[in-house]
Amino acid sequence: MDQPRHVPVLLDRVLELFAPALHGKPAIVVDTTLGMGGHSDALLSAHPELTLIGLDRDPQAIEMAGERLARHGDRVHLVNVTYDHIDEAVEDLGYSRVDGVLMDLGVSSLQLDEEERGFAYSKDAPLDMRMSKGSGMTAADVLNTYSHGDLARILSTYGEERFAGKIASAVLKEREKEPFTNSGRLVELLYAVVPAASRRTGGHPAKRTFQALRIEVNGELESLRLALPAALGVLGVGGRIVVESYQSLEDRMVKQAFAELAKSKTPPGLPVELPGHGPEIKLLTKGAELANEQEIEDNPRAAPVRLRAAERIGDPR
Ligand SMILES: C[S@@+](CC[C@H](N)C(=O)[O-])C[C@H]1O[C@@H](n2cnc3c(N)ncnc32)[C@H](O)[C@@H]1O
């Protein structure tokens, strides 16, 4: 039996939302966050004529999902890029429009489980946290080189950490003695700095700092900011986009990007919609959808999920 951690989040709902756009035709879907290929595998099985383009920045995910999806043969194309390159990836494969885009944001269970990648605060491991292995700054580099102001800013913005200033001061003091290399020392520092009383509501004292470092190291919000318009740009009329976010900053970006395109740009007061000024998308979810209790029990990773979906209705391009 599969371990619960390998269950794709909100799988049934994702399949249900895509079905009208994919049913009974040779449709194309881009899974921009392939991970272990769970959602992709289910979509390919549900739609025998579907072609799937799978993107992931992590070469290990591409390799593992590639093995899992091999049984679907030439219906699968995998590309090792960040999702803001979705338009180039689609074009390079010879397509101009697609019928579905899936974004299941954040880290995969595989990445969390691999101790040496340093994503998990429960294990003492090198402070790496890069999803695209081998390129760019590590979490240790951030801790050892950022100014007090920059550290406090990322902890506060990306981690929504109330004690960002205090943590930044403690990090600067500690790194004078010796640079940070492993997560254990950082976790110890956070236990000392984050007041015990705040754990009752805020969870593990390292949770928010680890989230902030991961977002900074991987430029996650910048990548998402660029990816949303690019993804909506390759979606044909009737095509659907489904986004699953796991923290509020991501969800806010998705909400705002969708709200902007769901609005009419015809000046108010005109009796008819000006050509090319109508809404570009229709929202398919009312607010953000959450996982229900049963799903969270079966798959604890689903607890923070916020799902939003939309359909392209206009094509002013
Ligand atoms: C939550 S997992 C996806 C799990 C997948 N839906 C499944 O069913 O197995 C997120 C994946 O997105 C990838 N990822 C995160 N940020 C990315 C980005 N900017 N571009 C491409 N892939 C990204 C991660 O490497 C990770 O493998």
Side-chain angles (χ1 to χ4, degrees), residues 33-39 56-57 82-83 104 106-107 111 131 223:
T33 49
L34 187 67
M36 282 168 291
H39 285 105
D56 204 294
R57 67 188 301 170
T82 49
Y83 43 53
D104 179 19
V107 270
Q111 290 162 336
M131 290 193 215
S223 188

Side-chain angles (χ1 to χ4, degrees), residues 36 60-72 78:
M36 282 168 291
Q60 198 182 6
I62 296 285
E63 195 187 316
M64 289 184 66
E67 284 168 21
R68 178 175 188 173
L69 302 178
R71 68 193 177 94
H72 300 289
L78 303 186

